[in-house]
Amino acid sequence: MTWQPHITVATIVEDNGRFLFVEEVKNDKRVLNQPAGHLEANETLRDAAIRETLEETGWDVELTGVVGIYLYTAPSNGVTYQRVCFTAKAVKHHPDRVLDTGIVGAPWFTHDELAAQPERWRSELVLQCLDDYLAGPVHSLDVVRN
């Protein structure tokens, strides 16, 4: 078997101490995640983050920085994911936009509200990325080269 990591992006969007999340159904359970998804062929990491955020939340965003790069092996299937986590500001909401399949909604939570619901995190990366964002530093978008 050939080992191949999956490249993913995630976006932390903050507005006055509240953060944009995706509520989705996975394995018949409602879970929370940052707007996130897989890099597609011929797409930049930045473009993927903007696209996934719009598709999953209905929000146009402007990327502002990079929190970090993470490796995570899912215990459920043994797949390794490389996640590039961006920060962004919300620009425009499209409330009538149909969200991706499986998405229930795009709620806003404070850090404490998210931390109080560990059973709902899609993975440990959900809180880890948020904690890293709050602890800083956030890196310049220039660290991501196309």
Side-chain angles (χ1 to χ4, degrees):
M1 181 170 91
T2 302
W3 178 80
Q4 183 175 356
H6 294 247
I7 308 299
T8 62
V9 294
T11 308
I12 293 177
V13 182
E14 181 181 9
D15 184 35
N16 294 316
R18 297 183 71 78
F19 300 91
L20 181 61
F21 290 95
V22 171
E23 183 177 18
E24 58 189 332
V25 176
K26 291 291 175 189
N27 302 321
D28 298 321
K29 180 181 172 188
R30 286 185 178 206
V31 296
L32 297 171
N33 196 7
Q34 278 90 19
H38 293 267
L39 179 68
E40 294 181 355
N42 302 312
E43 185 175 45
T44 69
L45 291 165
R46 292 181 195 193
D47 289 344
I50 291 167
R51 174 186 54 76
E52 286 288 352
T53 303
L54 177 61
E55 289 176 354
E56 293 190 347
T57 69
W59 278 93
D60 288 323
V61 295
E62 178 184 326
L63 299 181
T64 57
V66 177
V67 175
I69 300 170
Y70 302 81
L71 277 181
Y72 175 75
T73 301
S76 61
N77 60 13
V79 173
T80 299
Y81 299 90
Q82 178 183 332
R83 173 188 265 208
V84 179
C85 185
F86 291 91
T87 59
K89 67 178 181 178
V91 175
K92 181 179 180 184
H93 188 224
H94 303 275
D96 296 329
R97 182 180 174 89
V98 175
L99 304 180
D100 276 357
T101 302
I103 305 291
V104 177
W108 293 82
F109 292 113
T110 65
H111 174 274
D112 292 345
E113 290 168 336
L114 176 71
Q117 304 178 68
E119 70 284 354
R120 295 192 62 209
W121 306 338
R122 179 150 179 193
S123 77
E124 296 82 19
L125 286 180
V126 177
L127 186 63
Q128 182 180 354
C129 289
L130 185 55
D131 284 344
D132 290 348
Y133 164 76
L134 291 169
V138 172
H139 306 282
S140 168
L141 285 170
D142 293 337
V143 303
V144 178
R145 312 266 184 197
N146 293 336

